[in-house]
Amino acid sequence: MTLRVAILLSGGGSNMAALADSMHGDHPARPCLVLSNNPVAGGLGLAADRDIPTACVDHRRFGGDRTAFEAALHAELSAVAPDLICLAGFMRILTPPFIDHWRGRMLNVHPSLLPKYRGLDTHARAIAAGDAEAGCTVHEVTAALDDGPILGQARVPIAPGDDPATLSARVLRAEHELYPAVLRRVADGDRRPLILP
């Protein structure tokens, strides 16, 4: 059985593209929807270029009513019945009731070596701390922010003279390798953490 994957994004869509481009041949999953909260997200165009159905639920239309916003997200997702949901730069914090409905089926990529540096500004925080390495983590989404079971990590050295922008670019390349590899394993039923060098 081929699994159906919905991908949620808010921006340029490079992680979405990496995920979508990996789902071919004998891969056990295929993308069924790219959904955004931002009507001008570049990732919607990248998805359309790949003939992946797209939808947008603009969070601004809901005036801060998170329940109504998430009900609209849920309706779009339910219409395509995904087996897995991949958050790929989706910049909205989801509430526990929404997450509970999709429990065990939602993955996220985060630009740090969790449990370090949950939340934002991860690269600046790693540099300021004097860390020798940074990286990225793919984890299962739970109600606690950036706190679900770790499904994969990739490490990236912090070079002398790095600033948040240069480090971010290298970590993003690692995300493009790690996230598709973890998705493949999860779609095959393997949730053991994948650690890339």
Side-chain angles (χ1 to χ4, degrees):
M1 179 184 86
T2 301
L3 299 183
R4 298 167 61 79
V5 178
I7 304 171
L8 274 60
L9 56 80
S10 298
S14 67
N15 267 311
M16 177 281 298
L19 291 169
D21 292 348
S22 76
M23 287 185 266
H24 60 82
D26 65 352
H27 197 290
R30 293 291 184 273
C32 65
L33 177 69
V34 171
L35 176 59
S36 182
N37 66 303
N38 176 8
V40 297
L44 293 172
L46 293 180
D49 291 345
R50 290 163 170 77
D51 295 320
I52 303 168
T54 63
C56 180
V57 178
D58 187 345
H59 67 278
R60 293 168 294 190
R61 292 194 297 111
F62 297 89
D65 185 343
R66 293 173 72 187
T67 300
F69 168 64
E70 289 184 351
L73 280 182
H74 178 74
E76 293 286 355
L77 290 167
S78 295
V80 298
D83 300 291
L84 293 169
I85 298 171
C86 290
L87 306 183
F90 186 67
M91 302 305 290
R92 306 301 298 173
I93 294 176
L94 298 166
T95 65
F98 183 92
I99 292 168
D100 284 346
H101 181 84
W102 300 100
R103 182 174 296 280
R105 292 178 281 170
M106 292 180 68
L107 311 180
N108 184 44
V109 63
H110 181 74
S112 79
L113 295 171
L114 293 175
K116 278 188 168 184
Y117 311 126
R118 296 181 176 96
L120 301 175
D121 301 319
T122 58
H123 308 301
R125 291 158 66 194
I127 291 168
D131 291 353
E133 61 183 7
C136 54
T137 303
V138 177
H139 64 95
E140 184 179 320
V141 177
T142 60
L145 180 66
D146 300 328
D147 196 44
I150 290 173
L151 300 171
Q153 288 189 320
R155 298 179 180 276
V156 173
I158 298 177
D162 258 339
D163 60 29
T166 58
L167 180 57
S168 173
R170 288 205 311 283
V171 170
L172 186 61
R173 289 194 293 273
E175 291 177 26
H176 294 165
E177 180 181 358
L178 178 68
Y179 208 175
V182 171
L183 173 62
R184 172 78 187 237
R185 283 165 67 100
V186 170
D188 275 329
D190 184 354
R191 290 188 178 237
R192 293 173 298 167
L194 173 65
I195 307 300
L196 298 183

Short mmCIF file of all heavy atoms in Angstrom, two decimals, residues 12 15 61 70 80 92 133:
data_model
loop_
_atom_site.label_atom_id
_atom_site.label_comp_id
_atom_site.label_asym_id
_atom_site.label_seq_id
_atom_site.Cartn_x
_atom_site.Cartn_y
_atom_site.Cartn_z
N GLY A 12 9.48 29.22 1.48
CA GLY A 12 10.04 28.90 0.17
C GLY A 12 9.89 27.46 -0.28
O GLY A 12 9.92 27.18 -1.48
N ASN A 15 12.51 22.33 1.84
CA ASN A 15 12.37 21.01 2.46
C ASN A 15 11.22 20.23 1.84
O ASN A 15 11.31 19.01 1.66
CB ASN A 15 12.18 21.13 3.97
CG ASN A 15 13.48 21.04 4.74
OD1 ASN A 15 14.27 20.13 4.52
ND2 ASN A 15 13.72 21.98 5.64
N ARG A 61 -7.01 35.35 8.04
CA ARG A 61 -8.46 35.48 7.87
C ARG A 61 -9.22 35.15 9.16
O ARG A 61 -10.40 35.46 9.28
CB ARG A 61 -8.95 34.53 6.77
CG ARG A 61 -8.50 34.90 5.38
CD ARG A 61 -9.28 34.13 4.32
NE ARG A 61 -9.10 32.68 4.39
CZ ARG A 61 -10.03 31.81 4.76
NH1 ARG A 61 -11.21 32.20 5.17
NH2 ARG A 61 -9.76 30.51 4.77
N GLU A 70 -7.50 26.08 12.81
CA GLU A 70 -7.13 24.67 12.80
C GLU A 70 -8.27 23.80 12.29
O GLU A 70 -8.03 22.74 11.69
CB GLU A 70 -6.67 24.24 14.19
CG GLU A 70 -5.32 24.84 14.54
CD GLU A 70 -4.77 24.37 15.87
OE1 GLU A 70 -5.51 23.71 16.63
OE2 GLU A 70 -3.59 24.67 16.16
N VAL A 80 -8.08 14.79 2.00
CA VAL A 80 -7.12 13.97 1.26
C VAL A 80 -6.65 12.75 2.05
O VAL A 80 -5.90 11.92 1.54
CB VAL A 80 -5.89 14.79 0.79
CG1 VAL A 80 -6.33 15.90 -0.15
CG2 VAL A 80 -5.12 15.36 1.97
N ARG A 92 3.48 28.06 12.22
CA ARG A 92 2.38 28.26 13.15
C ARG A 92 2.47 27.19 14.23
O ARG A 92 2.69 26.01 13.91
CB ARG A 92 1.00 28.17 12.47
CG ARG A 92 0.81 29.07 11.27
CD ARG A 92 0.99 30.52 11.57
NE ARG A 92 0.03 31.05 12.53
CZ ARG A 92 0.06 32.26 13.05
NH1 ARG A 92 1.05 33.09 12.70
NH2 ARG A 92 -0.84 32.67 13.90
N GLU A 133 29.47 22.29 17.28
CA GLU A 133 28.64 21.77 16.20
C GLU A 133 27.19 22.17 16.40
O GLU A 133 26.76 22.47 17.51
CB GLU A 133 28.76 20.24 16.10
CG GLU A 133 28.31 19.51 17.34
CD GLU A 133 28.50 18.00 17.23
OE1 GLU A 133 29.10 17.53 16.25
OE2 GLU A 133 28.04 17.30 18.14
#
